[in-house]
Amino acid sequence: MAIGLAGAAGPVVADSSREGDRRRSSSGRRGIRWDGLRPYLFLAPFLITFLVFSVGPVLYSIYLSLFATPLIGPRKFVGLQNFINAFSDQSFWSGVERVALFGIIQVPLMLLIALFFAIVFDLELVRRGAGILRLIYFLPYAIPGVISALMWGYLYEPRYSPFDTILTQLGLGNVNFVGGNIVLASIGNIVTWEYVGYNMIILYVVLRSSPRELIDAAVVDGAKLWDIVRYVKIPMARIGLFLTAIL
């Protein structure tokens, strides 16, 4: 009798166990699908905003570039004629050359200065007042553009510029900082002044997030300061340098 009951109960138990397995596998698949969608749900606010306010205007500007807008009358479709006119204009290529020259010289120089300050603060070579110095270096980035323009306009104005006064006393004559070939260097000086602190903070955070055990091991092995900077700190800062270069 017991054997008969066990035999009768066997299929029921097996069916219930298979049903439970199906439910668990179904819930597992739903969990996997939810886990796969979860990152996109978190990214959705940024992606929507980016598409609407960044990608959308770029696409619309490309659309507008296919038309000519006269002073009087409706817009006319001209296709790629605007691009042909731009690429055949020597002034356009002169501007491209200046921007390329500016980027080749100014960006690496600015990042080297930012990396220098980041390493100095990360290695705690300046202990007293380090927080105040970091704030001072970052402050130019926080100054509004209007105030910066007024300040540098005064500093570069030949009639009022203290730079011009100093150069005149040194016998170098009057220098027009906003004219001739020197205007590109003047702009580079402004950009470097404004963004060195910004890039320094990024590189400093990257260096501070690196394992401190590497520095301790290098010190124990008798590495000098320059060796630590060259073989430990600079390789650690590569990701930050790549990010700041792109920005």
Side-chain angles (χ1 to χ4, degrees), residues 84-102:
I84 295 174
N85 295 337
F87 292 147
S88 59
D89 189 353
Q90 184 59 36
S91 299
F92 171 79
W93 291 111
S94 299
V96 171
E97 292 176 1
R98 292 189 183 93
V99 173
L101 179 63
F102 183 87

Side-chain angles (χ1 to χ4, degrees), residues 218-240:
V219 173
V220 171
D221 291 340
K224 298 181 180 179
L225 178 61
W226 170 245
D227 295 330
I228 295 175
V229 172
R230 181 179 179 183
Y231 296 107
V232 179
K233 286 302 177 182
I234 294 180
M236 285 181 179
R238 286 177 180 174
I239 297 178

